[in-house]
Amino acid sequence: MTKLLDNRSQGRVGEELWSHITDGSRLSILTRAFSICAYLELESRLKRIGELRLLLSHNDQPTSRSNDTRCSVPGLVGGEGDRRFRNSLQLTYVARACAGW
């Protein structure tokens, strides 16, 4: 099944993943934003998948101070809506758990 989700009118990514991931699921995600806070919310489900393809698109816009085009992942530690998670979590622990996954 292929769906385009936008966390607005097209559906919420987390809810869709939660309701459809089963043991051995195959999952392909293309995104420009990835949040380790969202990973933590879905961790128990994500550990059940059999195959994952995660493509994080490159932010190829140079910074205003240089011509630096290093890859960045917007929202890696969450956005404004994730503030309560950032304030209550040990981000290093969550980041390591996510990287290990």
Side-chain angles (χ1 to χ4, degrees):
M1 166 177 34
T2 301
K3 286 190 174 189
L4 177 62
L5 304 171
D6 65 358
N7 280 337
R8 293 185 187 100
S9 62
Q10 297 286 2
R12 300 206 175 272
V13 175
E15 292 170 2
E16 196 70 25
L17 290 173
W18 186 264
S19 65
H20 287 93
I21 292 176
T22 59
D23 290 337
S25 291
R26 294 173 52 196
L27 180 63
S28 298
I29 300 172
L30 169 62
T31 184
R32 184 169 179 190
F34 181 81
S35 165
I36 60 174
C37 297
Y39 161 78
L40 188 63
E41 285 292 304
L42 295 168
E43 182 179 29
S44 64
R45 293 282 183 171
L46 292 173
K47 287 183 174 183
R48 298 171 69 182
I49 64 174
E51 179 182 331
L52 170 71
R53 295 184 308 165
L54 175 62
L55 179 60
L56 300 171
S57 65
H58 187 304
N59 180 4
D60 58 358
Q61 300 298 316
T63 62
S64 60
R65 296 183 182 167
S66 70
N67 288 330
D68 185 4
T69 57
R70 289 180 289 177
C71 181
S72 68
V73 181
L76 184 61
V77 293
E80 278 303 308
D82 296 315
R83 180 182 302 264
R84 64 187 171 100
F85 294 109
R86 285 196 311 271
N87 290 341
S88 65
L89 297 176
Q90 295 178 342
L91 287 180
T92 301
Y93 167 79
V94 176
R96 285 189 179 132
C98 183
W101 166 69

